[in-house]
């Protein structure tokens, strides 16, 4: 019995320490779990902000390539072919600048944006080729806008699609 009584304080300390160690372990485990959830939530929030920013930038790009905005960009003294070249160059440069936004957009939206850009460039060339004769820049711009208005307003349709998608995301 004498040998057991020597271990009694250690046994008592062990009996008291085990519940504290279990509670400490549970606390640390729940703390780590909550921190991981917080990190995931912040990641999702950050990703959502990136997506929203991408949709904003692409909407701005589409607005800038509307014919009504394109015709106001360059000097009135340009020849028609110079206007077409500069307009096509500025559209391509702005598109390349924003091309990284496709990471945050759906494939459908990105395809619509690319199709809209290509349709505007094609409309510029089709309008120019349809005139055959030498025309003034103001007359070309008027015919260009009329040709756009006679076709489907694909830019506005694409912007509306982007607007619907961003509502789903946010």
């Amino acid at each position: 019995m004498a040998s057991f009584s020597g271990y009694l304080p250690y046994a008592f300390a062990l009996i008291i320490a085990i519940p504290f160690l279990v509670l400490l372990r549970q606390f640390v485990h729940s703390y780590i779990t909550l921190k991981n959830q917080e990190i995931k939530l912040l990641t999702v929030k950050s990703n959502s902000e990136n997506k929203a920013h991408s949709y904003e930038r692409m909407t701005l790009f589409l607005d800038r390539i509307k014919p009504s905005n394109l015709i106001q960009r360059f000097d009135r003294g340009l020849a028609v072919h110079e206007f077409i070249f500069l307009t096509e160059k500025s559209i391509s440069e702005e598109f390349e600048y924003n091309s990284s936004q496709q990471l945050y957009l759906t494939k459908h939206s990105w395809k619509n944006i690319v199709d809209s850009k290509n349709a505007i460039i094609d409309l510029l060339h089709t309008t120019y080729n349809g005139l055959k004769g030498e025309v003034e820049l103001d007359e070309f711009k008027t015919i260009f806008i009329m040709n756009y208005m006679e076709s489907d307003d694909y830019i506005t349709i694409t912007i509306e699609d982007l607007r619907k998608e961003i509502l789903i995301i946010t």
Side-chain angles (χ1 to χ4, degrees), residues 67 116 119-120 123 146-157:
S116 295
I120 288 295
L123 185 63
M146 289 173 46
N147 287 343
Y148 177 75
M149 291 173 63
E150 290 173 359
S151 66
D152 292 335
D153 191 2
Y154 38 85
I155 292 178
T156 303
I157 292 169

Side-chain angles (χ1 to χ4, degrees), residues 59-74 83 87 90 141 144-145 148 155 159:
T59 302
L60 182 61
F61 167 75
L62 289 168
D63 191 59
R64 287 180 178 165
I65 66 169
K66 281 185 178 179
S68 58
N69 294 329
L70 287 176
I71 63 168
Q72 301 171 8
R73 283 201 180 169
F74 300 107
F83 172 78
T87 302
S90 77
K141 289 178 179 180
F144 175 60
I145 289 178
Y148 177 75
I155 292 178
I159 290 173

Side-chain angles (χ1 to χ4, degrees), residues 51 53-59 61-62 65 91-119 154 157-159 161-163 165:
K51 285 185 176 187
H53 183 68
S54 295
Y55 280 84
E56 290 171 4
R57 283 182 58 181
M58 295 318 296
T59 302
F61 167 75
L62 289 168
I65 66 169
I91 290 172
S92 296
E93 286 174 351
E94 188 165 351
F95 180 77
E96 289 170 9
Y97 175 76
N98 289 311
S99 65
S100 64
Q101 302 309 310
Q102 66 184 298
L103 294 172
Y104 303 105
L105 302 174
T106 63
K107 288 181 182 180
H108 175 73
S109 293
W110 185 251
K111 181 185 177 307
N112 286 346
I113 291 167
V114 171
D115 290 345
S116 295
K117 174 195 78 98
N118 291 336
Y154 38 85
I157 292 169
T158 303
I159 290 173
D161 287 345
L162 291 176
R163 198 173 278 142
E165 283 184 17

